[in-house]
Amino acid sequence: QVRLVESGGGLVQAGGSLRLSCAASGLRFSMYAMGWFRQAPGKEREFVAGVSGSGGNTYYADSVKGRFTISRDNAKNTVYLQMNSLKSEDTAVYYCAAARGLYIVVITKAPEVRDWGQGTQVTVSS
């Protein structure tokens, strides 16, 4: 059974930084693309960033490009999201995601996800 556990969320002032972590178990981690999504109150869940199994390929939503960095440590079965220059519109619950299959090189949308974490709250105060 796949388990994804996020950590690192919290309250931060606009312009600040946070690093989210997602510890994965129950899958051959290095073989699966991973990603981060977020959901703000009253809005649909949206893609944030994706990384390939090797970590060599990444993809970002336009809204976070240049501010967020996704990475992974396959030795630790962990994927990270470094968030810099945070804005109030980044406030949301952030979810870690594992790809539906090995054929997915990089996650870019929700239908490509099979497993979700429970989410971690990120609140950016202006």
Side-chain angles (χ1 to χ4, degrees), residues 14-49:
S17 298
L18 280 176
R19 188 175 83 152
L20 305 183
S21 300
C22 171
S25 60
L27 75 168
R28 296 178 69 178
F29 183 74
S30 64
M31 298 184 70
Y32 284 87
M34 300 292 293
W36 288 94
F37 288 72
R38 66 187 181 186
Q39 188 166 18
K43 295 188 176 181
E44 293 186 354
R45 191 172 297 189
E46 65 174 3
F47 168 78
V48 174

Side-chain angles (χ1 to χ4, degrees), residues 13-123:
Q13 288 188 333
S17 298
L18 280 176
R19 188 175 83 152
L20 305 183
S21 300
C22 171
S25 60
L27 75 168
R28 296 178 69 178
F29 183 74
S30 64
M31 298 184 70
Y32 284 87
M34 300 292 293
W36 288 94
F37 288 72
R38 66 187 181 186
Q39 188 166 18
K43 295 188 176 181
E44 293 186 354
R45 191 172 297 189
E46 65 174 3
F47 168 78
V48 174
V51 62
S52 61
S54 68
N57 293 304
T58 57
Y59 188 76
Y60 297 92
D62 287 344
S63 59
V64 306
K65 204 171 294 183
R67 300 188 297 122
F68 291 11
T69 302
I70 189 171
S71 62
R72 63 191 296 160
D73 185 338
N74 286 342
K76 295 182 178 180
N77 282 13
T78 301
V79 60
Y80 304 98
L81 185 68
Q82 178 66 44
M83 305 185 293
N84 298 329
S85 302
L86 283 161
K87 306 175 182 179
S88 57
E89 51 262 45
D90 295 318
T91 294
V93 177
Y94 283 71
Y95 296 91
C96 179
R100 180 169 299 279
L102 299 182
Y103 60 93
I104 296 172
V105 177
V106 180
I107 294 171
T108 62
K109 48 187 179 293
E112 296 172 335
V113 175
R114 182 188 65 187
D115 302 290
W116 298 94
Q118 83 288 350
T120 186
Q121 176 70 47
V122 171
T123 303

